[in-house]
Amino acid sequence: MKTLAQRFTFSREKAGLTQAQLAEKANVSQNTISKIENGVTRKPKDINRFAKILRVSADFLETGEEVQDEVKATAGLSYSAAELVSLIQELDKQQSIPDPVYKSLRVIIESGFSPKTVAAPNEAMQKGLDSQIRD
């Protein structure tokens, strides 16, 4: 994706938002979103706010550079672990995972979990996850 307009549209669609929904969340008009996606606005002043809502970095929207970092983040993981990371990222972009649960999942993934560890967490881990889910 060569342009901000392409990356912006891609990120919005990947987040499962319409232009109207993104506009509402960002407290701007749908016309503002349309101008960005059509390449009329090339340097939106609210780029950081849009990035936060879309769960991408402002650098990605502006330059596309974050795509390489995403590949590096899953390098070396087994196929199933990489798929799990992608699924969690997708759910997070849709804001379907409560923050405490998302943070716990990141810790598990980043610690280099094995399937046995995830399938049968020890008692302390289970209590920690249970308490975060309830919070």
Side-chain angles (χ1 to χ4, degrees), residues 41-97:
T41 302
R42 293 194 174 144
K43 293 190 181 233
K45 64 181 178 180
D46 298 324
I47 192 90
N48 290 321
R49 184 174 358 153
F50 294 129
K52 185 175 180 179
I53 293 166
L54 297 171
R55 304 254 182 181
V56 297
S57 72
D59 286 340
F60 170 71
L61 291 176
E62 292 172 335
T63 68
E65 290 299 315
E66 187 177 66
V67 172
Q68 295 301 328
D69 292 338
E70 195 172 304
V71 171
K72 288 179 190 173
T74 59
L77 294 177
S78 69
Y79 179 75
S80 59
E83 292 246 319
L84 179 60
V85 170
S86 295
L87 174 62
I88 291 168
Q89 289 172 337
E90 183 62 33
L91 290 171
D92 185 52
K93 286 179 183 176
Q94 296 173 15
Q95 299 177 343
S96 300
I97 302 175

